[in-house]
Amino acid sequence: MSSKTFSFTEDWVVVILGLAVIFLALSGVIVPVPSFGWNDFSELGSKVFSTTNLFAILCQFILVYGVGIVGAFLLKKNVKALLVVFPIVYLLTIVAVVLAGNTVVKDYNLEAVIFSLGIGLTISNFFVLPDWFKNALSTELYVKIGLILLGSTVIFGDILKAGSLGLIQALVVVISVWYFAFWVCKKLKIDKEMSLMLSSAVSICGVSAAIATSGAIKGDNKKLSYVISLVLITAIPMMIFMPYLADKMGLSQEVTGAWLGGSIDTSGAVAASGTLVGEKALEISTIVKFSQNVLLGIAAFFISIYWTYSNSVDEETKRDKPTLKLIWERFPKFVIGFVFVSLLFSFVVPSETHELVKDSLKSLQGLWFALAFTSIGLETNFKDLFKQDNKKPLYAFLIAQTFNVIVTLIIAFLLFR
């Protein structure tokens, strides 16, 4: 008789770990939130490197380190290697977060993930990392845990507060821009995996949408890095020039805010550009961007179903419909964790409790994403991001983004004038 050894898949491990972090917070184990904002070296020493703040950073490290160790154990990975590698990745990530916390850097809307990616890429391209080090990196695990924690911010009650016009614009923009971007990618013969990540990034909410889509389809990290690079690079000029164009066009603050919120891919850039226009523009742009953000979970859910179904048919069985069992086996289980957490915080967790834990969970969510991008950088060769084959996705992104700007302006003018 032969016996099968039970083992967890990565998606189920992610659900277990993500929910463990959530329920720890709900039970009262709330990790303090470190502060990374600083203006000069004096503030860097007195605020970021203060004893209290260093203690908060240490508390976060203990939690994520413990989660990483348990994850490696459940997935039967090399725990000894992780014990060495994870602290190094964490230290590099903290350096990235500290750099992103500088006031000047914030003015240019350079997010922590781009520093994480940049630091990782620099190291991987100037030093030869041993295979045991790279094998200890768990990029997908970090990304998916972050996505499950993201579910705690998607509150159905807040969706209603976002405003009917913002939701209408978000739905029309997301659907139309997503399909247009996907169509462009198909015309340019870009592979389906890249097409899905790029289309979601342009149409929904940039970095988070790209990460969520990559998690849903188990996308290639190099492709994800490329899409993230495009989002972050294009967000800066859009943030600067769109308010100027709106002023020259004589648009009201309401229309301008709706245009900015629906066109610019990162929330930070939206807030920065809205501030340049005025208080009302900032309010409307934030509402519209939030309305798009809350569609992230729904979009990831349907994308995962589409990806699972379409890839359940191989060349030998393409005439047969895939079974529900096969679809379930290939369906990314972390999406279930995301939806469960969103429903939990929407209808079960009291608002007072949510207020107590939301900042801690949001900070941990951002930390997991930053850890993931440090890991991506460490396992990626920089030249792979900008090689000849990647010009078509660049063209598709620019075409789709142009379409996004035009369509969003038209819809914003019709709804908010």
Side-chain angles (χ1 to χ4, degrees), residues 34-39 43-44 47-48 53 97-98 101-103 106:
S35 173
F36 293 103
W38 58 284
N39 184 46
E43 285 191 355
L44 181 64
K47 293 183 178 180
V48 178
N53 207 55
V97 176
V98 170
N102 179 258
T103 304
K106 286 184 176 180

Side-chain angles (χ1 to χ4, degrees), residues 193-210:
E193 187 178 322
M194 174 69 86
S195 299
L196 288 170
M197 286 190 281
L198 190 149
S199 301
S200 298
V202 173
S203 61
I204 307 175
C205 52
V207 174
S208 297

Side-chain angles (χ1 to χ4, degrees), residues 130-312:
D131 290 338
W132 66 266
F133 187 98
K134 289 186 176 181
N135 292 336
L137 299 172
S138 301
T139 303
E140 285 194 25
L141 185 78
Y142 305 156
V143 167
K144 291 175 181 177
I145 291 175
L147 288 170
I148 288 182
L149 297 186
L150 180 64
S152 65
T153 67
V154 182
I155 309 302
F156 289 89
D158 291 341
I159 298 175
L160 300 177
K161 295 178 184 177
S164 57
L165 294 181
L167 284 172
I168 292 171
Q169 174 173 319
L171 283 170
V172 175
V173 168
V174 167
I175 293 173
S176 59
V177 175
W178 194 96
Y179 276 102
F180 178 81
F182 194 74
W183 175 80
V184 170
C185 289
K186 187 175 181 180
K187 289 297 180 181
L188 293 177
K189 298 181 179 178
I190 299 172
D191 66 88
K192 191 188 297 182
E193 187 178 322
M194 174 69 86
S195 299
L196 288 170
M197 286 190 281
L198 190 149
S199 301
S200 298
V202 173
S203 61
I204 307 175
C205 52
V207 174
S208 297
I211 294 173
T213 302
S214 177
I217 65 176
K218 299 183 178 179
D220 181 80
N221 289 334
K222 293 180 180 179
K223 294 176 182 178
L224 175 61
S225 298
Y226 186 78
V227 174
I228 295 300
S229 299
L230 291 177
V231 169
L232 295 174
I233 290 170
T234 56
I236 297 172
M238 290 178 69
M239 174 189 74
I240 297 171
F241 291 111
M242 286 184 65
Y244 174 79
L245 290 175
D247 180 62
K248 291 298 181 182
M249 296 166 64
L251 301 179
S252 66
Q253 284 206 27
E254 289 81 0
V255 174
T256 302
W259 187 31
L260 298 174
S263 300
I264 301 176
D265 290 325
T266 66
S267 298
V270 167
S273 59
T275 303
L276 293 175
V277 179
E279 186 176 337
K280 193 63 179 179
L282 175 61
E283 177 188 340
I284 298 297
S285 64
T286 302
I287 289 175
V288 170
K289 176 52 63 179
F290 178 80
S291 299
Q292 287 187 327
N293 288 342
V294 297
L295 296 176
L296 174 60
I298 299 172
F301 180 78
F302 284 106
I303 287 171
S304 60
I305 291 177
Y306 163 75
W307 181 258
T308 303
Y309 188 90
S310 64
N311 285 279
S312 295

